[in-house]
Amino acid sequence: MSKAPSPIELQLEAQLQSRRARSLLRSLVVIPNTSADFSSNDFLGLARNPRLGARFRTELDSFPTHAPPLGSTGSRLLDGNSQYAEDLEDLIAEFHHAEAALVFNSGFDANVGFFSSVPQPGDVILYDEYIHASVHDGMKVSRAGVKSPFLHNDLDHLGRQLAQIRAEDEEKGKKVRNIFVAVESVYSMDGDTAPLREIVELLEPYGAYLIVDEAHATGVYGTRGRGLVNELGLESRVFARLHTFSKALASNGAALVGPKILKQYLINYARPLIYSTFTSFSNLASIKSAYQMLVAGETVELVDKVRGLIDYFRAHIQIPDQMLLPSTSPIQGIVMDGNAKVNALSQRLIRAGLNVKAIRFPTVPKGKERVRICLHSHNTLEQVQRLIAIVQQCIQEDNDGSMSALRTGHVQLPMSLSSSEATKEASSSTLPSSSSSSSSPSLITLSSSLSIPSKL
């Protein structure tokens, strides 16, 4: 006889049912590897790159007796550290033209570690309203006295807040507070870039410290993938940068790069670092292998191909200007009003064998729902052409349907398909199948039925 659900189980089920009723329930599913990848953050295709695979195997074979061991065996401050890890941090710091680098198990851990510990009691954190969720989690336990958002990429709004803070310090005769400003170089949902040069020039008269999350710029921007801060020549004017390894570099984890004193401080105060078992040797080897490719310039050709596809996509897609988000990054967004519309477009693309995700409210503001399209070096021109054709056709049909509904007074919302139906239709699509090779494979990714977290 089955056990009756406990009160907490009933409460959890009620919460899930609420999401289910609003078509917002998340689940884990697998997309067939026959789908063309327009969703993942594997911008350079390194996740299945034979050259990276060969470097990785060579690195693993260089330690036949497993010294360091396969697993880290403990926290970095206990038994999890190794000379291999420290040498890797030196490599990362040198590559990014920084005094020091500190590896964390994830970019999320790194942001939480920084923002929960570095701002001192009473300090100020100003952050772009689109900043990553991990920064918010760090601020929740931060000792900063002020945590205030500014409008996305709005220099005037940021400037007014900076001036107000310094005016308050002077008026009250306070000790001048540290001001930390948090931005992303490339924003994960919109794909646009922060005006970093203008932000740096704005901050310097106020003595504020800029922290830049380069998660979606690492590997893609800058000399040999050093990031947007490098591309703009601002490395010496930014206090700290976060470079993640889990997107363009096909590994896991992240590093905070900045002053040596920052590294020493985080080792002593960043709780995600102190109280977590450190990442495994095999992951460190993967990170090192990816950086070896960057150093050797082996990803330059891949970046050039992505840039070419971005230019082609934006030059050839013909949709209303307000629907295409302004972006020069691999992340492109097509805005449609309402969850039903973006779901329908995403599922239409999946049925055609193109894996594209719908980003729905409340992940993004109401009226700003969109499909998020990621372009990669392993995408073919033919795949991009098919993507453009289907998007344009779907939007035209939606516009024609809206006009018809206005005339008749009846509005029919697009039907939602289950992930199993979408998968079945993808396999039987009559559209021409994309060519595949070892250098441009398709990836297994999550279904478009998911509501993607606000920041990836």
Side-chain angles (χ1 to χ4, degrees):
M1 188 171 66
S2 61
K3 180 182 175 183
S6 65
I8 185 60
E9 289 174 307
L10 292 173
Q11 293 171 42
L12 298 179
E13 175 56 33
Q15 292 292 320
L16 291 172
Q17 182 57 37
S18 174
R19 282 203 162 187
R20 190 176 291 111
R22 292 175 288 142
S23 299
L24 294 176
L25 188 68
R26 297 185 176 106
S27 59
L28 296 177
V29 293
V30 178
I31 286 290
N33 58 9
T34 54
S35 295
D37 175 25
F38 285 103
S39 175
S40 80
N41 293 316
D42 184 28
F43 305 126
L44 303 183
L46 294 188
R48 284 173 172 66
N49 183 283
R51 190 174 294 178
L52 177 59
R55 282 189 177 275
F56 180 51
R57 287 190 295 271
T58 298
E59 197 65 27
L60 291 177
D61 290 343
S62 68
F63 288 90
T65 59
H66 302 303
L70 292 176
S72 67
T73 76
S75 164
R76 189 93 187 263
L77 273 68
L78 295 176
D79 304 297
N81 197 34
S82 66
Q83 189 61 50
Y84 190 91
E86 296 200 357
D87 290 345
L88 175 59
E89 288 176 334
D90 290 342
L91 169 65
I92 293 170
E94 180 180 3
F95 180 78
H96 290 292
H97 303 155
E99 287 185 11
L102 183 62
V103 171
F104 286 78
N105 287 352
S106 69
F108 199 103
D109 279 359
N111 270 332
V112 170
F114 182 97
F115 287 97
S116 65
S117 67
V118 175
Q120 303 299 298
D123 281 350
V124 176
I125 303 174
L126 304 179
Y127 58 94
D128 190 287
E129 63 176 332
Y130 289 177
I131 201 67
H132 195 276
S134 56
V135 174
H136 287 276
D137 279 20
M139 289 190 294
K140 286 177 182 177
V141 291
S142 171
R143 298 168 295 171
V146 176
K147 307 158 195 173
S148 178
F150 58 91
L151 297 175
H152 179 53
N153 282 347
D154 192 320
L155 296 170
D156 289 338
H157 192 207
L158 174 58
R160 290 196 298 272
Q161 294 197 51
L162 290 165
Q164 179 181 347
I165 290 161
R166 287 298 181 238
E168 291 173 356
D169 289 347
E170 184 175 348
E171 178 183 346
K172 298 178 182 179
K174 291 181 178 179
K175 174 185 175 182
V176 175
R177 293 170 288 180
N178 296 313
I179 302 174
F180 298 90
V181 176
V183 300
E184 298 177 34
S185 53
V186 177
Y187 286 88
S188 62
M189 288 295 105
D190 286 42
D192 59 340
T193 58
L196 292 179
R197 183 177 286 111
E198 292 81 358
I199 291 174
V200 165
E201 292 172 355
L202 178 62
L203 299 190
E204 286 180 339
Y206 296 98
Y209 302 99
L210 181 60
I211 298 89
V212 181
D213 186 334
E214 294 253 49
H216 291 84
T218 305
V220 180
Y221 286 83
T223 304
R224 299 192 176 183
R226 286 178 169 89
L228 185 58
V229 172
N230 166 267
E231 184 169 306
L232 298 175
L234 301 173
E235 290 158 319
S236 64
R237 301 167 72 181
V238 172
F239 180 66
R241 288 167 278 153
L242 174 68
H243 291 279
T244 62
F245 315 133
S246 54
K247 296 178 174 63
L249 302 191
S251 302
N252 284 292
L256 277 167
V257 303
K260 290 181 180 178
I261 191 65
L262 174 63
K263 177 176 180 177
Q264 185 178 0
Y265 183 89
L266 290 169
I267 289 171
N268 281 271
Y269 290 97
R271 293 171 69 87
L273 178 81
I274 297 169
Y275 297 108
S276 292
T277 297
F278 191 46
T279 193
S280 66
F281 160 68
S282 58
N283 189 53
L284 293 176
S286 175
I287 296 166
K288 181 179 178 180
S289 301
Y291 267 92
Q292 286 173 335
M293 288 190 68
L294 296 181
V295 171
E298 294 175 3
T299 60
V300 173
E301 184 179 352
L302 302 176
V303 173
D304 289 343
K305 182 177 180 185
V306 174
R307 292 287 178 203
L309 290 178
I310 295 168
D311 292 343
Y312 183 90
F313 175 81
R314 295 194 67 85
H316 287 81
I317 192 164
Q318 297 179 9
I319 59 176
D321 290 344
Q322 71 273 14
M323 296 185 72
L324 183 63
L325 290 173
S327 168
T328 59
S329 78
I331 303 168
Q332 301 290 317
I334 298 174
V335 176
M336 302 179 76
D337 185 6
N339 287 345
K341 290 184 178 182
V342 293
N343 277 340
L345 176 55
S346 172
Q347 291 161 3
R348 178 96 165 252
L349 290 164
I350 279 189
R351 293 198 302 272
L354 307 176
N355 187 24
V356 177
K357 299 297 187 295
I359 312 297
R360 302 173 292 183
F361 171 81
T363 300
V364 292
K366 203 169 188 62
K368 296 293 184 180
E369 297 85 357
R370 79 281 306 267
V371 291
R372 179 180 186 262
I373 297 167
C374 290
L375 299 170
H376 316 86
S377 67
H378 53 267
N379 290 134
T380 66
L381 182 60
E382 185 266 347
Q383 288 171 348
V384 175
Q385 290 170 339
R386 291 172 60 212
L387 173 71
I388 291 172
I390 295 170
V391 167
Q392 291 179 165
Q393 181 181 6
C394 190
I395 290 174
Q396 182 61 51
E397 290 172 358
D398 179 69
N399 290 339
D400 292 345
S402 296
M403 293 302 296
S404 175
L406 287 174
R407 288 192 294 268
T408 63
H410 298 288
V411 178
Q412 183 176 1
L413 295 178
M415 291 182 61
S416 173
L417 292 177
S418 69
S419 59
S420 60
E421 289 171 321
T423 299
K424 182 178 179 181
E425 292 211 27
S427 63
S428 61
S429 173
T430 57
L431 287 172
S433 60
S434 60
S435 59
S436 61
S437 67
S438 60
S439 61
S440 59
S442 300
L443 302 184
I444 299 176
T445 48
L446 296 179
S447 164
S448 69
S449 63
L450 291 179
S451 175
I452 298 180
S454 60
K455 300 296 175 182
L456 301 177

